[in-house]
Amino acid sequence: MNFKQKYVFLFPGLFVLIGILIFPIIFVIRLSLSGWNSYNGLNFIGLENYIRLFTDDPRFWESFFRLSFLSVTTVILQYVIGFALAHMVWKDIKFQRFFRVLFLIPMMTTPVIMTVIWRTFFHESLGPVNDILSNFGMSPKWLTDPVLAKFTVIIVEVWQWTPFMFLLLLAGLLSLPKEPFLAAAIDGASPVRKFLYVTFPLMAPISIGAIIIRLIEASKIMDTVYVLTSGGPGTSTETSSFYIFIKGLREFQMGYAASMSFTYLIIMIVSLTVIAKVLTKLMLKD
Amino acid sequence: MGKLYKILKYFFITFWAVFVVAPFLWALTTSFKDFNSVNGGATYIPWVDFEPKLEGWRVLIKSPANGGVDIIEPYFNSLFVTCTASLISIILGTLSAYALSRFTFKAGFVKNNDITFFFISQRIMPPIVLSIPFFLFLGAINLLDSLIGLIVVYIVLLMPIAVWIMVDFFNKVPREIDETALIDGCNPYQAFFKVVLPNSIPGLIVAGMFCIIFGWIDFFFAFILTFTEVQLLPVKIVALNSSITPWWSLSASALISVAPLIIVAFVVERYLSKGNLSGAIK
Amino acid sequence: MKIIKTFVTGLISAMLILSPVAYADKWGDQFPHIKATGDIPGDCSYEEMSKKNYKGKTLKINTHAVPVIGQPTALHAEQFAKLTGAKVDVTHTPAGDLYAKAMVPFKAGQAPYDIVFGFSNFINDWRQYLAPVPKKYMNSTEMKDVTKSHVGVSSWDGTMYQYPVDGDRHYLKYRKDVIDNPEYQKKYKADTGKELKVPTTWKEYGEMAKYFNGWDWDGDGEKEYGSAEVMKKDDLMFAAFFSRSVAYAKNPRTPGGFFFDLETMKPNINNPGFVEALGDWVEATKYVPPGGINFGLGDEIGSFGGGQTLFSFSWDDAFIAAMQDDSPIKNKVGTAPLPGADKVWNRVSGKWENQYNQAPYIVWGWAVGVAKKSKVQEMAFDYLCFFSNGANHQADLAIGNFGVNPFKNSDFDPQLYIKTMGWDADIANSYTKTLKDMEKSKNRVFPLRVRGVFEFTSAVATGTSKALAGQLSPQEALDEVAKEWEAIVNRVGKKNVQEDYAVGVKMEDNKL
């Protein structure tokens, strides 16, 4: 289909978005070429920030790899768990509607506030988790062990955002056409085969979409880290966005933070494009 | 379906339900504590374990001069900003998504997928750095510290989500539907509004829900772009986080702030259960 | 001369305050907050403020979250509005965000707030956007009562930019019911061969904390621990580290800079004095409560104030929380100056000097300024002066979670705390003595207040936190901080940092 009217559909949204964003984006690029901070204004220092970032800031790159680990892990977990849950409440199950509503709720909590609750939840001397575990002689250092703290961040992220996957995938499952399943039933396919050869391929497009959008969001992970551990112990839970936050709003090195953000943006766009391509190849074989 | 699978299924679902509910229960019991019962170690059952106090809840309606935060006005501000911005985003986003799903665009190397990706890529940028240009931008058009200014910014945050989700949904609505309508003598607008849109209500519901959620839980922009006239709920609640972290009132406010969205969850679930979705695809 | 003058006026106003209030007081009836004293005469008293007319004007304030500082701001705003007819809008912001919340509009050339609350170490970044305190207020009765070090902290090279409304410092808090308990004293002596007393060195502090770590020593059925400290890698952490390092690294015989060598601007931060202190701090991770290295200030207050630990040493809050009426450990806690050390590093000779050293860290605290671009500056200063007028200040002091702490000469009178707050006499005495002695000390360290100060302190937080987490040894961690500091100095310009730092050193070397 192709009509002249197609522009009438596309342009309002596109132009509103561009109209609001054009100035901020250009400004961020300009900002990244300046030493804008607490004592300097919008001067021009060329590529100095970028040179500093690429030659003299291992902390940014460490935090970036940590971020990659955290976001990929959380998104995989969210996808697997979200898919499992959606599949389980898809068809006949008791209290179906109750579970469906319940599983949606975590993502509706405001991260800055909810993470405070999580912090008290995992508080190693005043929280309930270790209070219960101590009866079995265990007292894991949820927030103060460099390795475990990463998993605590993952747990909280998975709790909060699995519903996102769950909802998209459940909606996808509910809109699947019936014919392929009938055909599979006639062939006498086992439930596992049915899942692998019918359900999963049909769900692939929506899965890719959901994974990409979750990767984008998960990579901005910030409130969780800030409230739970402030990037600690040491730097063991520091992510790129948290590091940019520290440099930008805490130390007020806005110019430098802008150059980091812009670099981050480019890296993310490239890697998301690659990830999308790879996922499409893997999941849409046919 | 084997019996084992069924047992596993119920086990897993119960486990997850407990995991989902646990922090809320903890927040509920904490909201009735005070400084001393919080710092005396973990306790669970009011009256048995500790003496319940209503302070955590009272703080939410007291004025700051009396040590509270008075969330009533911010609550309505938040509702208004979130709903308006979501509505606009959904309208604009749906139109764009329909165009991207049905028609081919080509400008140089830019194709449909690239435009779709352009929309969603607006969410990649870490918000910290955007705060400064947004501040200057809203300052220039005199919309700082206003509900409208926040709505403008939230449209940028929310529209990409609406576009992304709606493209997916429209892709699943068979093209034959539009084509039949066109053959029946509708113009493209009529085809969209009278035939395609009614068939996409579940998609709209899902996209709308995400818009509302992402609008409702935003803290950062609401924090930077407002001063005294307009306050949104998350900003107001965070203002409770004084030197002493008040576990009790933060718990209460966490519960209060999630409440309106639970209604949204019920609405969404209703539409899903009704089977509208599968109907749409027939 | 100036000192004597301030002291004398301080004394006079102290006497004024303490003299039985003869004012059969209409203000006390109207404003229940000051019922205890009634209005106290002064340039910004209720009486004086009621003569002003600010009808139709609006005052916009950004302050801290409620209740600490935030609640008194809102309360006095309400009173001020009632007295003068002004409209006062107050917003509340968490401590960590106060800087950015004001800095973003400042940088954009706007002044959405007439009054901005922050901390005294923001002064150098903010002062170009703040109006200096006018003469009229400098000469007010209220201002004359402010102690010299708080005038110093609020001023930049003699010009006051931040209006003093609160006093903050770090000092030691300990559990009296343990340290003064003869049974524990005997037991401690038997087990360790040492006296159990208020620790005067950080080594003693560590030994006692370790001894009293991890068992139920107050018989409440819960385990108690040694010490609660701000160890979370956030914007307050560096202050805790400096409190621990002053004893080893602030040598009264080597003037000319604690953080840097003022002449060369080489960082001192990785000299053996600081390394020793960081070593102590790493050791401290063994006697903090579980999760203790993730404690922010809020956790510290909860932990010590809730009776979980033996010691704590940062701001007033933890002590005040413990002394609340409903607290289970009210009147079971004591205060003392920060511990010292048996040796102190001499950076000139490059050797340890084996003599006792103690140095108070006049840590940064709440500070508040009036925006240069504000159109209602006079009203803003009137409000601030009213905020801490005699009656308000005394009433604020008595409410623990207001977070208003002594900063006036008249505040160091133990009777104030005994009468209005029900403290035991010896606790009140040691509290006021602890605070007063800090004012008198000649070996004080003032906060770092150079431009871009957060770049420096954030580097300290990152480095020390790596050491606490065991990622780096104390020496490695501080070497990293020193390297980072040098990089920052290079970026900012050596001359600039030097110029800024000289202002602080002047105060430290008692030349101002």
Side-chain angles (χ1 to χ4, degrees):
Chain A
M1 280 192 294
N2 220 347
F3 298 101
K4 272 177 290 173
Q5 290 90 337
K6 67 182 184 181
Y7 298 108
V8 182
F9 283 108
L10 177 67
F11 283 169
L14 191 61
F15 284 156
V16 165
L17 193 70
I18 293 175
I20 301 176
L21 268 173
I22 188 97
F23 170 72
I25 295 286
I26 292 174
F27 189 86
V28 168
I29 297 173
R30 174 66 187 84
L31 197 58
S32 75
L33 302 174
S34 78
W36 216 72
N37 59 14
S38 51
Y39 43 91
N40 283 330
L42 196 64
N43 53 8
F44 184 80
I45 58 166
L47 292 175
E48 217 170 276
N49 284 330
Y50 290 96
I51 294 168
R52 178 175 160 206
L53 176 62
F54 282 95
T55 59
D56 195 30
D57 199 354
R59 201 170 149 201
F60 176 78
W61 302 103
E62 279 163 26
S63 70
F64 191 82
F65 288 119
R66 209 171 288 126
L67 171 76
S68 315
F69 165 73
L70 285 177
S71 55
V72 169
T73 319
T74 51
V75 172
I76 291 175
L77 282 174
Q78 286 162 5
Y79 179 69
V80 172
I81 298 172
F83 206 152
L85 290 172
H87 200 264
M88 285 167 179
V89 301
W90 175 26
K91 286 191 184 145
D92 36 60
I93 180 163
K94 290 205 174 94
F95 311 113
Q96 190 183 42
R97 303 191 55 187
F98 167 76
F99 283 124
R100 284 181 182 177
V101 172
L102 183 70
F103 292 165
L104 288 181
I105 290 173
M107 79 170 140
M108 299 169 172
T109 55
T110 312
V112 234
I113 304 164
M114 200 57 205
T115 319
V116 179
I117 310 294
W118 278 107
R119 192 167 129 79
T120 68
F121 200 67
F122 284 115
H123 197 291
E124 286 158 37
S125 56
L126 302 174
V129 178
N130 275 16
D131 186 54
I132 291 167
L133 287 181
S134 69
N135 295 331
F136 306 99
M138 289 185 284
S139 50
K141 296 175 160 186
W142 295 105
L143 301 169
T144 55
D145 180 82
V147 178
L148 194 53
K150 287 191 192 75
F151 285 95
T152 310
V153 171
I154 291 175
I155 290 173
V156 173
E157 280 284 299
V158 166
W159 181 86
Q160 173 118 31
W161 293 113
T162 298
F164 188 99
M165 288 286 192
F166 168 75
L167 178 58
L168 277 180
L169 295 169
L170 180 62
L173 283 172
L174 288 171
S175 66
L176 288 182
K178 296 218 169 70
E179 293 77 14
F181 291 95
L182 288 174
I186 291 164
D187 289 352
S190 73
V192 179
R193 286 180 68 89
K194 211 160 76 184
F195 178 80
L196 283 180
Y197 293 99
V198 184
T199 318
F200 190 73
L202 284 172
M203 292 293 290
I206 192 136
S207 298
I208 295 168
I211 288 174
I212 293 291
I213 196 167
R214 270 314 303 152
L215 272 176
I216 291 178
E217 298 299 319
S219 300
K220 287 196 289 189
I221 172 176
M222 151 79 224
D223 303 318
T224 317
V225 171
Y226 176 44
V227 178
L228 278 180
T229 62
S230 276
T235 49
S236 53
T237 52
E238 206 168 78
T239 62
S240 305
S241 31
F242 183 66
Y243 183 55
I244 294 173
F245 164 78
I246 294 211
K247 287 287 162 191
L249 279 189
R250 284 295 188 267
E251 301 181 14
F252 222 76
Q253 303 191 43
M254 274 294 176
Y256 188 54
S259 70
M260 289 196 284
S261 303
F262 197 64
T263 312
Y264 169 86
L265 182 70
I266 302 291
I267 299 177
M268 284 302 285
I269 288 180
V270 171
S271 43
L272 284 173
T273 318
V274 172
I275 290 172
K277 286 248 158 72
V278 171
L279 281 179
T280 319
K281 258 225 169 102
L282 280 178
M283 297 172 95
L284 293 171
K285 270 182 227 138
D286 311 317
Chain B
M1 301 266 165
K3 206 164 188 171
L4 186 68
Y5 173 73
K6 211 165 182 179
I7 294 171
L8 272 177
K9 181 162 110 173
Y10 277 97
F11 174 78
F12 185 68
I13 285 190
T14 317
F15 168 79
W16 193 261
V18 170
F19 178 55
V20 165
V21 169
F24 288 114
L25 286 180
W26 172 244
L28 187 66
T29 166
T30 307
S31 70
F32 293 105
K33 295 182 183 174
D34 62 3
F35 183 85
N36 292 320
S37 31
V38 158
N39 290 298
T43 46
Y44 307 96
I45 307 159
W47 287 290
V48 181
D49 274 350
F50 64 93
E51 185 66 31
K53 302 267 165 61
L54 281 176
E55 189 56 23
W57 293 90
R58 275 199 206 115
V59 161
L60 301 181
I61 46 167
K62 281 202 289 197
S63 77
N66 294 317
V69 287
D70 194 5
I71 60 165
I72 293 165
E73 197 192 310
Y75 211 95
F76 286 105
N77 284 343
S78 260
L79 281 178
F80 176 73
V81 169
T82 306
C83 292
T84 319
S86 302
L87 194 66
I88 298 175
S89 306
I90 286 287
I91 293 171
L92 293 173
T94 307
L95 291 177
S96 298
Y98 181 68
L100 288 167
S101 147
R102 285 299 189 269
F103 311 116
T104 14
F105 294 89
K106 204 163 180 247
F109 63 92
V110 181
K111 292 190 199 124
N112 282 33
N113 279 342
D114 303 304
I115 303 175
T116 316
F117 190 72
F118 169 78
F119 274 101
I120 197 68
S121 67
Q122 301 315 314
R123 286 197 66 90
I124 298 178
M125 193 70 136
I128 292 97
V129 178
L130 280 178
S131 64
I132 301 275
F134 270 133
F135 189 95
L136 295 170
F137 176 64
L138 290 188
I141 55 176
N142 223 353
L143 284 179
L144 277 173
D145 201 15
S146 72
L147 292 172
I148 298 174
L150 286 173
I151 290 171
V152 168
V153 172
Y154 280 8
I155 289 173
V156 177
L157 293 185
L158 304 183
M159 200 184 0
I161 301 175
V163 172
W164 188 254
I165 290 171
M166 288 315 291
V167 168
D168 256 349
F169 269 92
F170 284 135
N171 279 343
K172 271 191 287 171
V173 178
R175 281 161 184 245
E176 293 82 48
I177 293 189
D178 324 27
E179 275 155 15
T180 325
L182 288 168
I183 293 163
D184 287 350
C186 294
N187 66 31
Y189 304 115
Q190 288 168 325
F192 174 69
F193 285 106
K194 289 204 175 135
V195 183
V196 180
L197 210 52
N199 273 311
S200 322
I201 288 179
L204 287 175
I205 296 282
V206 172
M209 172 178 177
F210 281 131
C211 285
I212 288 177
I213 289 173
F214 279 96
W216 183 258
I217 67 177
D218 171 75
F219 163 76
F220 187 74
F221 286 108
F223 168 71
I224 290 286
L225 302 173
T226 59
F227 310 127
T228 52
E229 295 296 319
V230 173
Q231 296 250 286
L232 296 195
L233 187 63
V235 181
K236 199 76 183 179
I237 290 175
V238 168
L240 278 168
N241 207 349
S242 211
S243 308
I244 305 159
T245 315
W247 292 22
W248 42 98
S249 46
L250 284 172
S251 297
S253 53
L255 296 172
I256 281 276
S257 75
V258 78
L261 293 199
I262 293 180
I263 299 167
V264 177
F266 272 103
V267 173
V268 171
E269 198 281 330
R270 212 181 159 74
Y271 269 93
L272 290 180
S273 297
K274 265 185 174 169
N276 278 33
L277 284 163
S278 33
I281 310 302
K282 269 285 158 69
Chain C
M1 256 334 270
K2 211 170 146 201
I3 315 169
I4 300 171
K5 224 161 105 190
T6 14
F7 188 67
V8 170
T9 40
L11 262 184
I12 293 171
S13 39
M15 273 151 43
L16 273 176
I17 291 167
L18 295 174
S19 59
V21 186
Y23 254 50
D25 201 73
K26 59 173 182 179
W27 300 115
D29 298 337
Q30 263 187 51
F31 296 95
H33 182 57
I34 54 161
K35 221 171 22 213
T37 59
D39 195 14
I40 293 173
D43 291 340
C44 301
S45 63
Y46 281 76
E47 185 74 42
E48 291 300 318
M49 282 301 128
S50 69
K51 291 174 192 156
K52 309 244 172 183
N53 181 6
Y54 289 130
K55 223 171 225 138
K57 287 189 179 172
T58 310
L59 185 63
K60 295 187 172 189
I61 304 175
N62 185 35
T63 184
H64 187 222
V66 282
V68 174
I69 295 292
Q71 194 179 345
T73 311
L75 177 65
H76 300 322
E78 216 176 82
Q79 296 161 340
F80 186 76
K82 211 165 155 190
L83 287 168
T84 65
K87 185 169 174 277
V88 190
D89 288 339
V90 184
T91 33
H92 301 268
T93 305
D97 296 316
L98 282 168
Y99 179 81
K101 182 91 181 173
M103 202 62 181
V104 171
F106 278 159
K107 277 287 194 179
Q110 302 199 5
Y113 300 110
D114 301 301
I115 294 178
V116 284
F117 278 75
F119 297 112
S120 42
N121 63 339
F122 297 0
I123 191 167
N124 198 9
D125 287 345
W126 277 13
R127 72 191 159 99
Q128 50 184 319
Y129 307 107
L130 297 181
V133 178
K135 246 208 174 90
K136 182 176 144 201
Y137 300 91
M138 295 299 295
N139 294 329
S140 66
T141 38
E142 280 80 5
M143 188 67 81
K144 290 203 169 122
D145 195 16
V146 176
T147 68
K148 195 182 156 236
S149 56
H150 284 99
V151 171
V153 166
S154 318
S155 307
W156 185 261
D157 213 6
T159 313
M160 185 181 279
Y161 288 95
Q162 294 174 329
Y163 208 96
V165 292
D166 175 40
D168 280 295
R169 69 283 278 166
H170 282 187
Y171 54 84
L172 173 70
K173 295 122 208 163
Y174 63 93
R175 284 292 290 272
K176 250 174 130 50
D177 53 338
V178 173
I179 302 287
D180 294 351
N181 184 333
E183 234 165 84
Y184 281 139
Q185 285 170 347
K186 227 181 278 164
K187 195 161 170 273
Y188 187 74
K189 176 103 191 189
D191 290 346
T192 65
K194 290 177 180 154
E195 297 294 330
L196 182 64
K197 59 177 174 62
V198 179
T200 51
T201 67
W202 284 107
K203 301 286 182 217
E204 287 174 4
Y205 179 101
E207 283 160 8
M208 290 173 199
K210 208 179 280 170
Y211 184 85
F212 285 98
N213 187 50
W215 52 284
D216 181 16
W217 38 254
D218 68 352
D220 64 351
E222 300 269 338
K223 273 187 196 169
E224 273 79 37
Y225 304 92
S227 165
E229 318 187 7
V230 179
M231 288 180 164
K232 184 177 181 178
K233 195 187 80 173
D234 63 4
D235 23 70
L236 302 175
M237 182 193 192
F238 73 93
F241 173 60
F242 288 147
S243 267
R244 273 180 168 272
S245 17
V246 281
Y248 294 109
K250 175 71 173 84
N251 190 328
R253 290 164 294 280
T254 57
F258 169 72
F259 300 104
F260 296 94
D261 183 334
L262 184 60
E263 252 163 58
T264 60
M265 286 316 283
K266 268 215 133 357
N268 293 333
I269 187 89
N270 58 343
N271 77 23
F274 285 94
V275 174
E276 182 79 21
L278 186 53
D280 280 2
W281 212 19
V282 172
E283 193 63 24
T285 57
K286 293 181 191 149
Y287 52 74
V288 294
I293 69 166
N294 195 34
F295 273 17
L297 180 59
D299 304 293
E300 184 208 281
I301 298 168
S303 182
F304 181 83
Q308 199 187 19
T309 63
L310 179 66
F311 294 129
S312 171
F313 67 84
S314 78
W315 285 270
D316 291 70
D317 312 66
F319 175 70
I320 303 289
M323 291 300 282
Q324 291 296 294
D325 279 338
D326 56 352
S327 161
I329 53 168
K330 179 163 184 173
N331 285 328
K332 289 184 185 168
V333 288
T335 59
L338 283 180
D342 284 327
K343 56 180 184 181
V344 55
W345 180 252
N346 184 321
R347 70 182 154 79
V348 178
S349 67
K351 282 193 190 110
W352 285 103
E353 288 174 1
N354 285 318
Q355 57 173 300
Y356 182 74
N357 186 52
Q358 199 272 341
Y361 178 40
I362 308 294
V363 73
W364 47 279
W366 291 108
V368 49
V370 174
K372 209 184 243 170
K373 288 207 168 155
S374 159
K375 293 191 182 88
V376 288
Q377 282 187 15
E378 199 194 330
M379 174 161 75
F381 280 113
D382 273 342
Y383 167 79
L384 291 177
C385 190
F386 171 76
F387 184 110
S388 55
N389 75 18
N392 277 341
H393 181 59
Q394 266 197 48
D396 292 351
L397 277 181
I399 302 177
N401 61 11
F402 270 25
V404 174
N405 307 119
F407 68 96
K408 297 184 180 188
N409 291 308
S410 54
D411 294 340
F412 302 124
D413 176 46
Q415 286 307 318
L416 223 64
Y417 308 92
I418 299 169
K419 264 194 210 150
T420 55
M421 297 158 82
W423 293 14
D424 283 354
D426 55 335
I427 294 177
N429 285 331
S430 79
Y431 176 70
T432 48
K433 187 174 175 314
T434 304
L435 303 191
K436 225 176 357 193
D437 285 350
M438 293 179 73
E439 299 288 334
K440 279 192 223 150
S441 169
K442 289 279 171 220
N443 196 24
R444 294 169 300 176
V445 173
F446 283 89
L448 187 62
R449 307 190 300 172
V450 297
R451 62 193 84 176
V453 59
F454 285 109
E455 295 181 34
F456 292 99
T457 54
S458 157
V460 175
T462 310
T464 50
S465 136
K466 280 183 183 169
L468 292 186
Q471 288 175 330
L472 295 176
S473 76
Q475 183 71 53
E476 287 164 349
L478 291 177
D479 284 345
E480 201 179 277
V481 176
K483 206 179 129 226
E484 183 70 31
W485 276 24
E486 277 170 25
I488 303 168
V489 169
N490 281 335
R491 267 204 307 277
V492 183
K494 195 176 137 189
K495 274 249 146 55
N496 295 332
V497 189
Q498 198 168 28
E499 188 187 301
D500 295 346
Y501 188 47
V503 175
V505 172
K506 231 194 283 181
M507 290 197 295
E508 270 169 23
D509 294 347
N510 303 302
K511 285 181 189 150
L512 201 78

